[in-house]
Coordinates of all heavy atoms in Angstrom, one line a residue:
M1 N -18.6 -22.0 7.7 CA -17.8 -21.0 7.2 C -18.2 -20.8 5.7 O -18.3 -21.7 4.9 CB -16.3 -21.5 7.2 CG -15.4 -20.4 6.7 SD -13.6 -20.4 7.1 CE -13.1 -22.0 7.2
S2 N -18.5 -19.6 5.4 CA -18.9 -19.3 4.0 C -17.7 -18.8 3.1 O -16.8 -18.2 3.6 CB -20.0 -18.2 4.0 OG -19.5 -17.0 4.4
S3 N -17.7 -19.2 1.9 CA -16.7 -18.7 1.0 C -17.3 -17.9 -0.1 O -18.4 -18.1 -0.6 CB -15.9 -19.9 0.4 OG -16.7 -20.7 -0.4
T4 N -16.5 -16.8 -0.5 CA -17.0 -16.0 -1.6 C -16.3 -16.4 -2.9 O -15.1 -16.6 -2.9 CB -16.6 -14.5 -1.3 OG1 -17.2 -14.2 0.1 CG2 -17.2 -13.6 -2.3
Q5 N -17.0 -16.6 -3.9 CA -16.5 -17.0 -5.2 C -15.8 -15.7 -5.8 O -16.4 -14.7 -6.0 CB -17.5 -17.4 -6.1 CG -18.2 -18.7 -5.7 CD -17.2 -19.9 -5.8 OE1 -16.1 -19.8 -6.4 NE2 -17.6 -21.0 -5.3
H6 N -14.5 -15.9 -6.2 CA -13.8 -14.8 -6.9 C -13.3 -15.4 -8.2 O -12.9 -16.5 -8.4 CB -12.5 -14.4 -6.1 CG -12.8 -13.7 -4.9 ND1 -13.2 -12.4 -4.8 CD2 -12.7 -14.1 -3.5 CE1 -13.4 -12.1 -3.5 NE2 -13.1 -13.1 -2.8
P7 N -13.5 -14.5 -9.3 CA -13.0 -15.0 -10.6 C -11.5 -15.2 -10.6 O -10.8 -14.4 -10.0 CB -13.5 -13.9 -11.5 CG -13.6 -12.7 -10.7 CD -14.0 -13.2 -9.3
V8 N -11.1 -16.3 -11.2 CA -9.7 -16.5 -11.3 C -9.1 -15.8 -12.6 O -9.6 -16.0 -13.7 CB -9.4 -18.1 -11.4 CG1 -7.9 -18.4 -11.6 CG2 -9.9 -18.8 -10.2
L9 N -8.1 -15.0 -12.3 CA -7.5 -14.2 -13.4 C -6.6 -15.1 -14.3 O -6.0 -16.0 -13.7 CB -6.7 -13.1 -12.9 CG -7.5 -12.0 -12.1 CD1 -6.6 -10.9 -11.5 CD2 -8.5 -11.3 -13.1
P10 N -6.5 -14.9 -15.6 CA -5.6 -15.7 -16.4 C -4.2 -15.4 -16.0 O -3.9 -14.3 -15.5 CB -5.9 -15.3 -17.8 CG -6.6 -13.9 -17.7 CD -7.2 -13.9 -16.3
R11 N -3.3 -16.3 -16.4 CA -1.8 -16.1 -16.1 C -1.4 -14.8 -16.9 O -1.7 -14.7 -18.1 CB -1.1 -17.4 -16.6 CG 0.4 -17.2 -16.4 CD 1.0 -18.5 -16.9 NE 2.4 -18.2 -17.2 CZ 3.2 -19.1 -17.8 NH1 2.7 -20.3 -18.0 NH2 4.4 -18.8 -18.0
P12 N -0.6 -14.0 -16.3 CA 0.0 -12.8 -17.0 C 0.8 -13.2 -18.3 O 1.5 -14.3 -18.2 CB 0.9 -12.2 -16.0 CG 0.5 -12.6 -14.7 CD -0.1 -14.0 -14.9
E13 N 0.7 -12.5 -19.3 CA 1.4 -12.8 -20.6 C 2.9 -12.7 -20.4 O 3.6 -13.6 -20.8 CB 0.9 -11.8 -21.7 CG -0.4 -12.1 -22.3 CD -0.8 -11.2 -23.4 OE1 0.1 -10.7 -24.1 OE2 -1.9 -10.8 -23.6
K14 N 3.3 -11.7 -19.8 CA 4.9 -11.5 -19.5 C 5.1 -11.9 -18.1 O 5.2 -11.0 -17.2 CB 5.2 -10.1 -19.8 CG 5.0 -9.6 -21.3 CD 5.4 -8.2 -21.5 CE 5.2 -7.8 -22.9 NZ 5.5 -6.4 -23.1
L15 N 5.1 -13.2 -17.8 CA 5.3 -13.7 -16.5 C 6.6 -13.2 -15.8 O 6.6 -12.9 -14.6 CB 5.2 -15.2 -16.4 CG 5.0 -15.9 -15.1 CD1 3.8 -15.3 -14.3 CD2 4.9 -17.4 -15.2
W16 N 7.7 -13.2 -16.5 CA 8.9 -12.8 -15.9 C 8.9 -11.2 -15.5 O 9.4 -10.9 -14.4 CB 10.1 -13.0 -16.9 CG 10.5 -14.4 -17.1 CD1 10.1 -15.2 -18.1 CD2 11.1 -15.2 -16.1 NE1 10.6 -16.5 -17.9 CE2 11.2 -16.5 -16.6 CE3 11.7 -15.0 -14.8 CZ2 11.8 -17.5 -15.9 CZ3 12.3 -16.0 -14.2 CH2 12.3 -17.3 -14.7
L17 N 8.2 -10.4 -16.3 CA 8.1 -9.1 -16.0 C 7.2 -9.0 -14.7 O 7.5 -8.1 -13.8 CB 7.5 -8.2 -17.1 CG 7.2 -6.7 -16.8 CD1 8.5 -6.0 -16.4 CD2 6.5 -6.1 -18.0
H18 N 6.1 -9.7 -14.7 CA 5.2 -9.8 -13.6 C 6.0 -10.2 -12.3 O 5.8 -9.6 -11.2 CB 4.1 -10.7 -13.9 CG 2.9 -10.6 -12.9 ND1 1.9 -9.7 -13.0 CD2 2.6 -11.4 -11.8 CE1 1.0 -9.9 -12.0 NE2 1.5 -10.9 -11.3
G19 N 6.8 -11.2 -12.4 CA 7.6 -11.6 -11.2 C 8.6 -10.6 -10.8 O 8.8 -10.4 -9.5
L20 N 9.2 -9.9 -11.7 CA 10.1 -8.8 -11.4 C 9.4 -7.7 -10.6 O 9.9 -7.1 -9.6 CB 10.8 -8.2 -12.6 CG 11.9 -7.2 -12.4 CD1 13.0 -7.7 -11.5 CD2 12.4 -6.7 -13.7
I21 N 8.2 -7.3 -11.1 CA 7.4 -6.3 -10.4 C 7.0 -6.7 -9.0 O 7.1 -6.0 -8.0 CB 6.2 -6.0 -11.2 CG1 6.6 -5.2 -12.5 CG2 5.2 -5.1 -10.4 CD1 5.5 -5.0 -13.5
M22 N 6.7 -8.1 -8.9 CA 6.3 -8.6 -7.6 C 7.5 -8.5 -6.6 O 7.3 -8.2 -5.4 CB 5.9 -10.0 -7.7 CG 4.5 -10.2 -8.4 SD 4.0 -11.9 -8.6 CE 3.7 -12.4 -6.9
L23 N 8.7 -8.8 -7.1 CA 9.9 -8.7 -6.3 C 10.1 -7.2 -5.7 O 10.4 -7.0 -4.6 CB 11.1 -9.2 -7.0 CG 12.4 -9.1 -6.3 CD1 12.4 -10.0 -5.0 CD2 13.6 -9.6 -7.2
V24 N 10.0 -6.3 -6.7 CA 10.2 -4.9 -6.3 C 9.1 -4.5 -5.3 O 9.4 -3.9 -4.3 CB 10.1 -4.0 -7.6 CG1 9.9 -2.6 -7.2 CG2 11.3 -4.2 -8.5
L25 N 7.9 -5.0 -5.5 CA 6.8 -4.7 -4.5 C 7.0 -5.2 -3.1 O 6.7 -4.6 -2.1 CB 5.4 -5.0 -5.1 CG 5.0 -4.1 -6.3 CD1 3.7 -4.7 -6.9 CD2 4.8 -2.7 -5.8
V26 N 7.5 -6.5 -3.1 CA 7.8 -7.1 -1.8 C 8.9 -6.2 -1.1 O 8.7 -6.0 0.2 CB 8.3 -8.5 -2.0 CG1 8.9 -9.1 -0.7 CG2 7.2 -9.4 -2.4
L27 N 9.9 -5.7 -1.7 CA 10.8 -4.9 -1.1 C 10.2 -3.6 -0.7 O 10.5 -3.1 0.5 CB 12.0 -4.6 -2.0 CG 12.8 -5.9 -2.5 CD1 13.9 -5.5 -3.5 CD2 13.5 -6.4 -1.2
L28 N 9.3 -3.0 -1.5 CA 8.7 -1.8 -1.1 C 7.8 -1.9 0.1 O 7.5 -1.0 0.9 CB 7.9 -1.2 -2.3 CG 8.9 -0.6 -3.4 CD1 8.0 -0.2 -4.6 CD2 9.7 0.5 -2.9
V29 N 7.1 -3.1 0.2 CA 6.2 -3.4 1.3 C 7.0 -3.4 2.6 O 6.5 -2.8 3.6 CB 5.4 -4.7 1.1 CG1 4.8 -5.2 2.4 CG2 4.3 -4.5 0.1
N30 N 8.2 -4.0 2.6 CA 9.0 -4.0 3.8 C 9.5 -2.6 4.2 O 9.5 -2.2 5.3 CB 10.2 -4.9 3.6 CG 9.9 -6.3 3.7 OD1 9.5 -6.8 4.7 ND2 10.0 -7.0 2.6
L31 N 9.8 -1.8 3.1 CA 10.1 -0.3 3.4 C 8.9 0.4 4.0 O 9.0 1.2 4.9 CB 10.6 0.3 2.1 CG 10.9 1.8 2.2 CD1 12.0 2.1 3.2 CD2 11.2 2.4 0.8
A32 N 7.7 0.1 3.4 CA 6.5 0.7 3.9 C 6.2 0.4 5.3 O 5.7 1.3 6.1 CB 5.3 0.4 3.0
Q33 N 6.5 -0.8 5.8 CA 6.3 -1.2 7.1 C 7.1 -0.3 8.1 O 6.7 0.2 9.2 CB 6.6 -2.6 7.4 CG 5.6 -3.6 6.8 CD 6.0 -5.0 7.0 OE1 7.1 -5.4 6.9 NE2 5.0 -5.8 7.4
T34 N 8.4 -0.1 7.7 CA 9.3 0.8 8.4 C 8.7 2.2 8.5 O 8.7 2.8 9.6 CB 10.7 0.7 7.8 OG1 11.2 -0.6 7.8 CG2 11.6 1.7 8.6
V35 N 8.3 2.8 7.4 CA 7.7 4.1 7.3 C 6.5 4.2 8.2 O 6.2 5.2 8.8 CB 7.5 4.5 5.9 CG1 6.7 5.8 5.8 CG2 8.8 4.6 5.1
L36 N 5.7 3.2 8.1 CA 4.4 3.1 9.0 C 4.8 3.2 10.4 O 4.2 3.9 11.2 CB 3.6 1.9 8.7 CG 2.3 1.7 9.5 CD1 1.4 2.8 9.3 CD2 1.7 0.4 9.2
G37 N 5.8 2.4 10.9 CA 6.2 2.4 12.3 C 6.8 3.8 12.6 O 6.4 4.3 13.7
I38 N 7.5 4.5 11.8 CA 8.1 5.8 12.1 C 6.9 6.8 12.2 O 6.9 7.6 13.1 CB 9.1 6.2 11.0 CG1 10.4 5.3 11.2 CG2 9.4 7.7 11.1 CD1 11.3 5.5 10.0
S39 N 5.9 6.7 11.3 CA 4.7 7.6 11.2 C 3.9 7.4 12.6 O 3.5 8.4 13.1 CB 3.9 7.3 10.1 OG 4.6 7.5 8.8
A40 N 3.8 6.1 13.0 CA 3.0 5.9 14.2 C 3.7 6.5 15.4 O 3.1 7.1 16.3 CB 2.9 4.4 14.4
I41 N 5.0 6.4 15.5 CA 5.9 7.0 16.5 C 5.7 8.5 16.5 O 5.5 9.2 17.5 CB 7.3 6.6 16.5 CG1 7.4 5.1 16.9 CG2 8.1 7.4 17.5 CD1 8.8 4.5 16.6
L42 N 5.8 9.1 15.3 CA 5.7 10.6 15.2 C 4.3 11.0 15.6 O 4.2 12.0 16.3 CB 6.0 11.0 13.7 CG 7.5 10.9 13.3 CD1 7.6 11.2 11.9 CD2 8.3 11.8 14.2
Q43 N 3.3 10.3 15.2 CA 1.9 10.7 15.6 C 1.7 10.6 17.1 O 1.1 11.5 17.7 CB 0.9 9.8 14.8 CG -0.5 10.2 15.1 CD -1.0 11.5 14.4 OE1 -0.6 12.5 14.9 NE2 -1.7 11.4 13.3
F44 N 2.3 9.6 17.7 CA 2.2 9.4 19.1 C 2.8 10.6 19.9 O 2.2 11.2 20.8 CB 2.8 8.1 19.6 CG 2.8 8.0 21.1 CD1 1.7 7.7 21.8 CD2 4.0 8.2 21.8 CE1 1.8 7.6 23.3 CE2 4.1 8.2 23.2 CZ 2.9 7.8 23.9
L45 N 4.0 10.9 19.4 CA 4.8 12.0 20.0 C 4.0 13.4 19.8 O 4.0 14.2 20.7 CB 6.2 12.1 19.5 CG 7.1 11.0 19.9 CD1 8.4 11.1 19.2 CD2 7.3 11.0 21.4
W46 N 3.5 13.5 18.6 CA 2.7 14.7 18.3 C 1.5 14.9 19.3 O 1.2 15.9 19.8 CB 2.2 14.7 16.9 CG 1.6 16.0 16.4 CD1 0.3 16.4 16.6 CD2 2.2 17.1 15.8 NE1 0.1 17.7 16.1 CE2 1.3 18.1 15.6 CE3 3.6 17.3 15.3 CZ2 1.7 19.3 14.9 CZ3 3.9 18.5 14.7 CH2 3.0 19.5 14.5
M47 N 0.8 13.7 19.5 CA -0.4 13.7 20.3 C 0.1 14.0 21.8 O -0.7 14.6 22.6 CB -1.2 12.4 20.2 CG -1.9 12.3 18.9 SD -3.1 10.9 18.8 CE -2.0 9.5 18.9
L48 N 1.2 13.4 22.2 CA 1.6 13.6 23.5 C 2.0 15.0 23.8 O 1.6 15.5 24.9 CB 2.9 12.7 23.7 CG 3.5 12.6 25.1 CD1 2.5 12.0 26.1 CD2 4.8 11.9 25.1
F49 N 2.6 15.7 22.9 CA 3.1 17.1 23.2 C 2.1 18.1 22.7 O 1.9 19.2 23.4 CB 4.5 17.4 22.6 CG 5.5 16.5 23.3 CD1 6.1 15.4 22.6 CD2 5.8 16.7 24.6 CE1 7.1 14.6 23.2 CE2 6.8 15.9 25.2 CZ 7.4 14.9 24.5
A50 N 1.5 17.9 21.6 CA 0.6 19.0 21.0 C -0.9 18.8 21.5 O -1.7 19.6 21.3 CB 0.7 19.0 19.5
K51 N -1.1 17.6 22.1 CA -2.5 17.3 22.6 C -3.5 17.2 21.5 O -4.7 17.4 21.8 CB -2.9 18.3 23.7 CG -2.0 18.5 24.8 CD -2.0 17.4 25.8 CE -1.2 17.8 27.0 NZ 0.1 17.2 27.2
E52 N -3.1 16.9 20.3 CA -4.0 16.7 19.2 C -3.4 15.9 18.1 O -2.2 15.7 18.1 CB -4.5 18.1 18.6 CG -3.3 18.9 17.9 CD -3.8 20.2 17.4 OE1 -4.9 20.6 17.6 OE2 -2.9 20.8 16.7
R53 N -4.1 15.3 17.2 CA -3.6 14.5 16.1 C -3.1 15.4 15.0 O -3.6 16.5 14.8 CB -4.7 13.6 15.5 CG -5.0 12.5 16.5 CD -6.0 11.5 15.8 NE -6.2 10.3 16.5 CZ -7.2 10.1 17.4 NH1 -8.1 11.0 17.6 NH2 -7.3 9.0 18.1
N54 N -2.0 14.9 14.3 CA -1.5 15.6 13.2 C -2.3 15.2 12.0 O -2.2 14.0 11.6 CB 0.0 15.3 13.1 CG 0.7 16.1 11.9 OD1 0.2 16.0 10.8 ND2 1.7 16.9 12.2
A55 N -3.0 16.0 11.3 CA -3.8 15.7 10.2 C -3.0 15.2 9.0 O -3.4 14.2 8.3 CB -4.7 16.8 9.8
A56 N -1.9 15.7 8.8 CA -1.0 15.3 7.7 C -0.5 13.9 7.8 O -0.5 13.1 6.8 CB 0.2 16.3 7.5
I57 N -0.1 13.5 9.1 CA 0.3 12.2 9.2 C -0.9 11.2 9.1 O -0.7 10.1 8.6 CB 1.0 12.0 10.7 CG1 2.2 12.9 10.8 CG2 1.2 10.6 11.0 CD1 2.9 12.9 12.1
A58 N -2.0 11.6 9.6 CA -3.2 10.7 9.4 C -3.5 10.5 8.0 O -3.9 9.4 7.6 CB -4.4 11.4 10.2
R59 N -3.5 11.6 7.1 CA -3.8 11.5 5.7 C -2.7 10.6 5.1 O -3.1 9.8 4.2 CB -3.9 12.9 5.1 CG -5.1 13.6 5.2 CD -5.2 14.8 4.2 NE -4.1 15.6 4.3 CZ -3.9 16.6 5.2 NH1 -4.8 16.9 6.1 NH2 -2.8 17.4 5.1
F60 N -1.5 10.7 5.4 CA -0.4 9.9 4.8 C -0.7 8.4 5.2 O -0.6 7.6 4.4 CB 0.9 10.4 5.4 CG 2.0 9.4 4.9 CD1 2.5 9.5 3.6 CD2 2.6 8.5 5.8 CE1 3.5 8.6 3.2 CE2 3.6 7.6 5.4 CZ 4.0 7.7 4.1
G61 N -1.1 8.2 6.4 CA -1.4 6.8 6.9 C -2.6 6.2 6.1 O -2.5 5.0 5.8
Q62 N -3.6 7.0 5.8 CA -4.7 6.5 4.9 C -4.2 6.2 3.5 O -4.6 5.1 3.0 CB -5.8 7.6 4.9 CG -7.0 7.2 4.1 CD -8.0 8.3 4.1 OE1 -7.7 9.5 4.3 NE2 -9.3 7.9 3.8
G63 N -3.4 7.0 2.9 CA -2.8 6.7 1.7 C -1.9 5.5 1.7 O -2.0 4.6 0.8
L64 N -1.1 5.3 2.7 CA -0.3 4.1 2.8 C -1.1 2.9 3.0 O -0.7 1.8 2.4 CB 0.7 4.3 4.0 CG 1.8 3.3 4.2 CD1 2.7 3.2 2.9 CD2 2.6 3.6 5.4
A65 N -2.1 3.0 3.8 CA -3.0 1.8 4.0 C -3.7 1.4 2.6 O -3.7 0.2 2.4 CB -4.1 2.2 5.0
H66 N -4.1 2.4 1.9 CA -4.7 2.0 0.5 C -3.6 1.4 -0.4 O -3.9 0.4 -1.0 CB -5.2 3.3 -0.1 CG -5.7 3.1 -1.5 ND1 -6.9 2.5 -1.8 CD2 -5.2 3.4 -2.7 CE1 -7.1 2.4 -3.0 NE2 -6.1 2.9 -3.6
W67 N -2.4 1.9 -0.4 CA -1.3 1.3 -1.2 C -1.0 -0.1 -0.7 O -0.8 -0.9 -1.6 CB -0.1 2.2 -1.1 CG 1.0 1.7 -1.9 CD1 1.2 1.9 -3.3 CD2 2.1 0.8 -1.5 NE1 2.3 1.2 -3.7 CE2 2.9 0.6 -2.7 CE3 2.4 0.3 -0.4 CZ2 4.0 -0.3 -2.6 CZ3 3.6 -0.6 -0.3 CH2 4.4 -0.8 -1.4
L68 N -0.9 -0.3 0.5 CA -0.7 -1.6 1.0 C -1.8 -2.6 0.6 O -1.5 -3.8 0.2 CB -0.5 -1.7 2.6 CG 0.9 -1.1 3.1 CD1 0.8 -0.9 4.6 CD2 2.0 -2.0 2.7
A69 N -3.0 -2.2 0.6 CA -4.1 -3.1 0.3 C -4.1 -3.4 -1.2 O -4.2 -4.5 -1.6 CB -5.5 -2.4 0.6
V70 N -3.9 -2.4 -2.0 CA -3.8 -2.6 -3.5 C -2.6 -3.5 -3.8 O -2.7 -4.5 -4.6 CB -3.7 -1.3 -4.2 CG1 -3.4 -1.5 -5.7 CG2 -4.9 -0.5 -4.1
T71 N -1.5 -3.3 -3.1 CA -0.3 -4.1 -3.3 C -0.5 -5.6 -2.9 O -0.1 -6.5 -3.6 CB 1.0 -3.5 -2.6 OG1 1.1 -2.1 -3.0 CG2 2.2 -4.3 -2.8
A72 N -1.1 -5.8 -1.8 CA -1.5 -7.1 -1.3 C -2.3 -7.8 -2.3 O -2.1 -9.1 -2.6 CB -2.1 -7.1 0.1
R73 N -3.3 -7.1 -2.9 CA -4.2 -7.8 -3.9 C -3.4 -8.2 -5.2 O -3.6 -9.3 -5.7 CB -5.4 -6.9 -4.3 CG -6.4 -6.9 -3.1 CD -7.7 -6.2 -3.6 NE -7.5 -4.8 -4.0 CZ -7.7 -3.8 -3.1 NH1 -7.9 -4.1 -1.8 NH2 -7.5 -2.6 -3.5
F74 N -2.4 -7.3 -5.6 CA -1.6 -7.6 -6.7 C -0.7 -8.8 -6.4 O -0.5 -9.7 -7.2 CB -0.8 -6.4 -7.1 CG 0.1 -6.6 -8.3 CD1 -0.4 -6.6 -9.6 CD2 1.4 -6.9 -8.2 CE1 0.4 -6.7 -10.7 CE2 2.3 -7.2 -9.3 CZ 1.7 -7.0 -10.5
L75 N 0.0 -8.8 -5.2 CA 1.0 -9.8 -4.9 C 0.3 -11.2 -4.8 O 1.0 -12.2 -5.0 CB 1.7 -9.5 -3.6 CG 2.7 -8.3 -3.8 CD1 3.3 -7.9 -2.4 CD2 3.8 -8.6 -4.8
T76 N -0.9 -11.2 -4.3 CA -1.5 -12.5 -4.1 C -2.4 -13.0 -5.3 O -3.0 -14.1 -5.2 CB -2.5 -12.5 -2.8 OG1 -3.5 -11.4 -3.0 CG2 -1.7 -12.2 -1.6
G77 N -2.4 -12.2 -6.4 CA -3.0 -12.6 -7.6 C -4.5 -12.3 -7.6 O -5.3 -12.7 -8.5
E78 N -5.0 -11.5 -6.6 CA -6.4 -11.2 -6.6 C -6.7 -10.1 -7.7 O -7.8 -10.0 -8.2 CB -6.8 -10.5 -5.2 CG -8.1 -10.0 -5.1 CD -9.2 -11.0 -5.2 OE1 -9.0 -12.2 -4.9 OE2 -10.4 -10.6 -5.4
S79 N -5.7 -9.3 -8.1 CA -5.9 -8.2 -9.0 C -4.7 -8.1 -9.9 O -3.6 -8.4 -9.5 CB -6.2 -7.0 -8.3 OG -6.2 -5.8 -9.1
D80 N -4.9 -7.6 -11.2 CA -3.8 -7.2 -12.0 C -3.5 -5.7 -11.9 O -2.6 -5.2 -12.7 CB -4.0 -7.7 -13.4 CG -3.8 -9.1 -13.7 OD1 -3.0 -9.7 -12.9 OD2 -4.4 -9.7 -14.6
E81 N -4.2 -5.0 -11.1 CA -4.0 -3.5 -11.0 C -2.7 -3.4 -10.2 O -2.4 -3.8 -9.1 CB -5.1 -2.9 -10.1 CG -5.0 -1.4 -9.8 CD -5.9 -0.9 -8.9 OE1 -6.8 -1.6 -8.4 OE2 -5.8 0.3 -8.5
R82 N -1.7 -2.7 -10.9 CA -0.5 -2.4 -10.3 C -0.6 -1.2 -9.4 O -1.2 -0.2 -9.8 CB 0.6 -2.1 -11.4 CG 0.9 -3.3 -12.2 CD 1.9 -3.0 -13.3 NE 2.1 -4.1 -14.1 CZ 2.8 -4.1 -15.3 NH1 3.3 -2.9 -15.7 NH2 2.9 -5.1 -16.0
P83 N 0.0 -1.2 -8.3 CA 0.0 0.0 -7.3 C 1.0 1.0 -7.8 O 1.8 0.8 -8.7 CB 0.3 -0.7 -6.0 CG 1.2 -1.8 -6.3 CD 0.7 -2.3 -7.6
F84 N 1.0 2.2 -7.0 CA 2.0 3.1 -7.2 C 3.4 2.5 -7.1 O 3.6 1.6 -6.3 CB 1.9 4.2 -6.1 CG 2.9 5.3 -6.1 CD1 2.7 6.4 -6.9 CD2 4.1 5.2 -5.3 CE1 3.7 7.4 -6.9 CE2 5.0 6.2 -5.3 CZ 4.8 7.3 -6.2
P85 N 4.3 2.8 -7.9 CA 4.6 3.9 -8.8 C 4.0 3.7 -10.3 O 4.2 4.5 -11.1 CB 6.1 4.0 -8.8 CG 6.5 2.7 -8.6 CD 5.6 2.0 -7.8
W86 N 3.3 2.6 -10.5 CA 2.8 2.3 -11.9 C 1.4 3.0 -12.0 O 1.0 3.2 -13.2 CB 2.6 0.8 -12.2 CG 4.0 0.2 -12.3 CD1 4.7 0.1 -13.4 CD2 4.8 -0.4 -11.2 NE1 5.8 -0.6 -13.2 CE2 5.9 -0.9 -11.9 CE3 4.6 -0.7 -9.9 CZ2 7.0 -1.6 -11.2 CZ3 5.6 -1.3 -9.2 CH2 6.7 -1.7 -9.9
T87 N 0.8 3.4 -11.0 CA -0.5 4.2 -11.0 C -0.3 5.4 -10.1 O 0.6 5.4 -9.3 CB -1.7 3.4 -10.6 OG1 -1.4 2.8 -9.3 CG2 -1.9 2.2 -11.5
P88 N -1.2 6.4 -10.3 CA -1.0 7.6 -9.3 C -1.3 7.2 -7.9 O -2.1 6.2 -7.6 CB -2.1 8.5 -9.8 CG -2.5 8.1 -11.2 CD -2.2 6.6 -11.2
W89 N -0.7 7.9 -7.0 CA -0.9 7.7 -5.5 C -2.4 8.1 -5.2 O -2.9 9.1 -5.7 CB 0.0 8.6 -4.7 CG 0.0 8.4 -3.3 CD1 -0.7 9.2 -2.4 CD2 0.6 7.4 -2.5 NE1 -0.5 8.7 -1.1 CE2 0.3 7.6 -1.1 CE3 1.5 6.3 -2.8 CZ2 0.7 6.8 -0.1 CZ3 1.9 5.5 -1.8 CH2 1.5 5.7 -0.5
A90 N -3.0 7.3 -4.4 CA -4.5 7.5 -4.1 C -4.6 8.7 -3.2 O -3.8 8.9 -2.2 CB -5.0 6.3 -3.4
R91 N -5.5 9.6 -3.6 CA -5.8 10.8 -2.7 C -6.7 10.4 -1.7 O -7.6 9.6 -1.9 CB -6.4 11.9 -3.6 CG -5.4 12.2 -4.8 CD -5.3 13.6 -5.2 NE -5.8 14.6 -4.3 CZ -5.1 15.7 -4.1 NH1 -4.1 15.9 -4.8 NH2 -5.6 16.6 -3.2
S92 N -6.6 11.0 -0.5 CA -7.6 10.7 0.6 C -8.9 11.4 0.3 O -9.0 12.3 -0.4 CB -7.0 11.3 1.9 OG -6.9 12.7 1.9
N93 N -9.9 10.8 1.0 CA -11.3 11.3 0.9 C -11.5 12.6 1.4 O -12.5 13.2 1.1 CB -12.2 10.3 1.4 CG -12.2 8.9 0.8 OD1 -11.9 8.8 -0.4 ND2 -12.6 7.8 1.5
T94 N -10.6 13.1 2.2 CA -10.8 14.4 2.9 C -10.3 15.6 2.0 O -10.4 16.7 2.4 CB -10.2 14.4 4.3 OG1 -8.8 14.2 4.1 CG2 -10.8 13.4 5.2
D95 N -9.6 15.3 0.9 CA -9.1 16.3 0.1 C -10.2 17.0 -0.8 O -11.1 16.5 -1.2 CB -8.0 15.8 -0.9 CG -6.7 15.5 -0.1 OD1 -6.6 15.9 1.1 OD2 -5.8 14.8 -0.6

């Protein structure tokens, strides 16, 4: 099994603020899971009845996936980059 070396980031200066942001993000991740489930159901129903994918739901899913990835990196200490709402929402590559 190979391991990739990642630089260890220093401890945040305002640790309490960092912890508060982490708490807010954990709650938002749980909300995002619910929204993802609803989006998946809507996309399925759209494909069932319209016989095609809904592009808007697919783009939203791409943005949500990016947000979840950035948030996971922040929560696990891989990155200090704060996700939305502290940074702009990522635009999809198809725009």
Side-chain angles (χ1 to χ4, degrees):
M1 182 164 31
S2 65
S3 65
T4 306
Q5 294 290 351
H6 292 287
V8 177
L9 297 174
R11 179 180 157 184
E13 286 185 30
K14 297 178 181 178
L15 190 56
W16 286 105
L17 177 60
H18 190 84
L20 182 60
I21 292 170
M22 289 177 72
L23 179 63
V24 169
L25 287 173
V26 166
L27 296 173
L28 289 175
V29 164
N30 284 298
L31 177 62
Q33 287 179 320
T34 302
V35 171
L36 177 61
I38 292 168
S39 298
I41 291 168
L42 289 174
Q43 184 69 285
F44 173 76
L45 292 173
W46 189 275
M47 290 188 298
L48 183 64
F49 295 111
K51 308 284 192 254
E52 63 183 8
R53 288 186 169 97
N54 183 303
I57 295 173
R59 277 193 311 275
F60 174 75
Q62 184 180 20
L64 186 59
H66 175 76
W67 181 83
L68 285 167
V70 171
T71 303
R73 286 193 296 272
F74 181 82
L75 289 173
T76 59
E78 173 69 21
S79 170
D80 279 336
E81 177 188 357
R82 292 180 185 170
F84 178 84
W86 289 273
T87 58
W89 185 262
R91 303 213 24 138
S92 68
N93 295 336
T94 59
D95 288 348

